Amino acid sequence: TFLNLAVLPAAAKIVLTGGRSRSAGIAATAVAMIGLSFASGCKTYEASPVDWRHEASAWTSATGSVHLASADDAALLARIGNAELNALRLKCRNSKAIAAETGWWNDPSLDIDLNRIVQSSENPFLGGASLSFAIPLSGALAFDAKAAELYAEADALAAVAAENDVAADARAAFHKLKSAQNREKAIRRFLDGPRLKAMAETMKRLSRAGEASAADIAALDRRVHARRHQLSETVAEGNAAESELRRLLGLAPNVAIAIDDYAEKPLPAADMMALAGMPPIMEFTKHPKVRERMARLEGGEAALRAEIRRQYPDLRFGPAYSREEGTDRLGIVAGIDIPIWNRNRKAIAEATAERDETRDGAIQAWRETVLNAAAARQNIVRLLKHDAPKAVDEETSVKLYQAGEIDGQTLLAYIEDVLDAQLSEIEFNMELAAAIDELKRTL
């Protein structure tokens, strides 16, 4: 019978002693060593199931509404409650924990041999044990630890870059929702205002008096119907913007979003032109997205150096004990791998490929950031050349209508021109705010 066990204890101090012990002593020593190896033990498993009732209660327990006074409020809440950001923060924490546990030496290896001579013998049992330690002469573990630290730093920079993007997306969703609500209010003022109702009543009286045709009334109804259809589309846009903002903020469906009325002060044109000035392209290497890729590139370099170091073998060295023909023997064991064929070729090739791809990704991230910044600045310069449309004098148009100088259809066209000018200005303000937010994303 031959028994060979390789046990890897986490932390064990094993003392081998010689003497006049027989086979039972050898067996007892072997069992004691194995038991000590397992007892020195490892981390125990702890399950972490999802308690859906608790999660639902925690998510939907908030009631009422969230009041947003500005786009910065939306950006702040998105940084706190966004689910994707919290997932990246969890990944960052786990990366730090992994880095802290990287670089440990391999555990020692315990080998036990027990043999019995089949033929009759005075001492039929032969046995021995050896304890070997892997001494990392290659130095690969140090580079493994360095790579893990750099990857943890890259994950932290990825979270920072994602915070920047989510904040910009939250600002954009805020402006979309605010613009939709303002357009909805303007259209409702037009449809429910006294001016349109008075005009409809006047058209009916003129029709009964024979001074207005049925076609004129039908034309008025079609134009009002078109505006009601526009109102329905605006409400749908507002609902879509609110859903997007709710997702970015991480709010439950039962929490309402309210935008407080406020007068947002736009930046002076001179300040926006200064903000739109294009800095040197080398400045964009400081952007979080580029810094993240560079940290991953440095981690890839360290990982490649670790795999290259693993070409060179580690030394296995330790004490050995054996008992043969009633005699105890003490010695040492040593071993080393001979790098002739394998030489860690596959791992080196994989690490090289990953390093090269990460390097190319860093360059592409830098170029993309520069292009996005240039496009955002060009868009702001274009918008700053915008001339506000000249508003129609609604009061003068009403007086002309009352004096009989213009008909009802012409007056309605003038009033709709006023509404269209208001809607265009609301759209322009939203586009300018979105352009500024996009510019901030590239800083």
Side-chain angles (χ1 to χ4, degrees):
T1 304
F2 178 75
L3 178 63
N4 191 334
L5 298 177
V7 184
L8 303 178
K13 182 179 180 182
I14 302 176
V15 179
L16 302 179
T17 60
R20 299 179 180 177
S21 59
R22 295 183 179 273
S23 59
I26 297 176
T29 302
V31 172
M33 287 183 175
I34 296 174
L36 180 61
S37 300
F38 283 105
S40 62
C42 306
K43 184 178 178 64
T44 58
Y45 168 75
E46 295 180 4
S48 181
V50 177
D51 187 346
W52 291 112
R53 293 183 181 275
H54 172 74
E55 296 296 332
S57 175
W59 191 41
T60 60
S61 59
T63 58
S65 61
V66 172
H67 292 263
L68 304 177
S70 66
D72 290 336
D73 287 351
L76 176 61
L77 290 180
R79 290 177 184 271
I80 296 172
N82 185 265
E84 296 176 1
L85 287 183
N86 289 328
L88 286 175
R89 291 174 184 131
L90 177 61
K91 181 179 180 181
C92 179
R93 186 190 71 180
N94 293 337
S95 297
K96 290 181 179 179
I98 293 173
E101 300 298 336
T102 302
W104 287 89
W105 286 19
N106 290 334
D107 292 323
S109 176
L110 174 64
D111 294 329
I112 299 175
D113 296 333
L114 180 61
N115 299 277
R116 185 182 186 284
I117 300 176
V118 178
Q119 298 175 350
S120 62
S121 174
E122 182 179 355
N123 297 286
F125 289 96
L126 308 176
S130 64
L131 182 66
S132 61
F133 297 86
I135 302 177
L137 301 179
S138 64
L141 294 179
F143 288 107
D144 285 339
K146 183 63 176 178
E149 292 176 1
L150 291 169
Y151 287 143
E153 180 183 353
D155 289 339
L157 290 171
V160 173
E163 284 182 0
N164 190 29
D165 285 340
V166 169
D169 292 339
R171 290 191 183 96
F174 172 87
H175 290 305
K176 287 181 181 179
L177 178 57
K178 178 187 174 185
S179 174
Q181 291 180 350
N182 289 340
R183 285 186 284 119
E184 180 184 350
K185 291 178 183 178
I187 297 173
R188 289 191 185 278
R189 283 196 300 268
F190 170 80
L191 293 174
D192 301 333
R195 191 81 68 194
L196 187 60
K197 292 182 180 179
M199 185 181 300
E201 293 295 332
T202 302
M203 292 289 290
K204 291 179 181 178
R205 289 197 301 269
L206 292 176
S207 176
R208 287 193 294 267
E211 298 182 8
S213 64
D216 294 333
I217 297 178
L220 175 62
D221 292 338
R222 286 195 301 271
R223 298 175 79 163
V224 171
H225 176 74
R227 290 298 177 179
R228 294 194 182 280
H229 185 71
Q230 185 182 21
L231 175 63
S232 177
E233 292 179 346
T234 303
V235 172
E237 292 176 6
N239 292 337
E242 182 177 358
S243 298
E244 176 65 12
L245 185 58
R246 185 186 306 279
R247 183 190 66 81
L248 290 170
L249 301 186
L251 299 177
N254 60 320
V255 179
I257 299 177
I259 295 181
D260 297 338
D261 292 332
Y262 70 101
E264 186 173 4
K265 297 180 180 179
L267 290 174
D271 293 345
M272 281 195 288
M273 288 299 294
L275 187 64
M278 187 70 175
I281 60 175
M282 293 303 297
E283 289 294 319
F284 292 95
T285 58
K286 302 176 183 178
H287 193 276
K289 288 184 177 180
V290 182
R291 290 171 58 200
E292 176 214 345
R293 299 296 180 91
M294 290 303 298
R296 295 198 186 280
L297 176 59
E298 293 179 13
E301 295 282 8
L304 175 58
R305 296 186 67 180
E307 297 301 338
I308 291 176
R309 288 296 185 92
R310 286 192 175 89
Q311 294 180 104
Y312 310 104
D314 295 333
L315 174 64
R316 295 188 300 276
F317 181 84
Y321 162 78
S322 64
R323 182 175 178 80
E324 184 175 355
E325 297 182 355
T327 303
D328 296 326
R329 300 178 182 180
L330 291 176
I332 60 174
V333 293
I336 192 172
D337 294 330
I338 302 176
I340 297 180
W341 297 293
N342 188 304
R343 288 186 292 176
N344 206 28
R345 295 173 186 268
K346 181 174 181 291
I348 292 175
E350 292 174 347
T352 302
E354 185 174 356
R355 188 272 312 270
D356 293 343
E357 292 172 4
T358 305
R359 181 181 182 277
D360 182 70
I363 296 174
Q364 297 305 322
W366 168 68
R367 291 180 178 178
E368 183 180 357
T369 304
V370 173
L371 292 175
N372 291 340
R377 283 160 174 77
Q378 185 179 10
N379 194 26
I380 288 181
V381 172
R382 175 185 64 82
L383 292 172
L384 291 178
K385 297 179 181 179
H386 167 77
D387 294 328
K390 296 181 179 179
V392 179
D393 190 351
E394 184 177 353
E395 296 299 329
T396 301
S397 301
V398 173
K399 291 179 180 179
L400 292 174
Y401 173 72
Q402 293 174 346
E405 297 294 332
I406 59 176
D407 57 11
Q409 295 294 335
T410 304
L411 176 60
L412 179 60
Y414 283 151
I415 297 176
E416 284 190 302
D417 286 342
V418 173
L419 173 62
D420 289 334
Q422 293 175 352
L423 297 178
S424 297
E425 193 64 22
I426 293 172
E427 287 285 350
F428 169 78
N429 291 333
M430 183 197 70
E431 189 175 359
L432 180 59
I436 295 175
D437 292 337
E438 193 63 27
L439 180 62
K440 292 179 180 178
R441 188 197 300 265
T442 65
L443 296 179

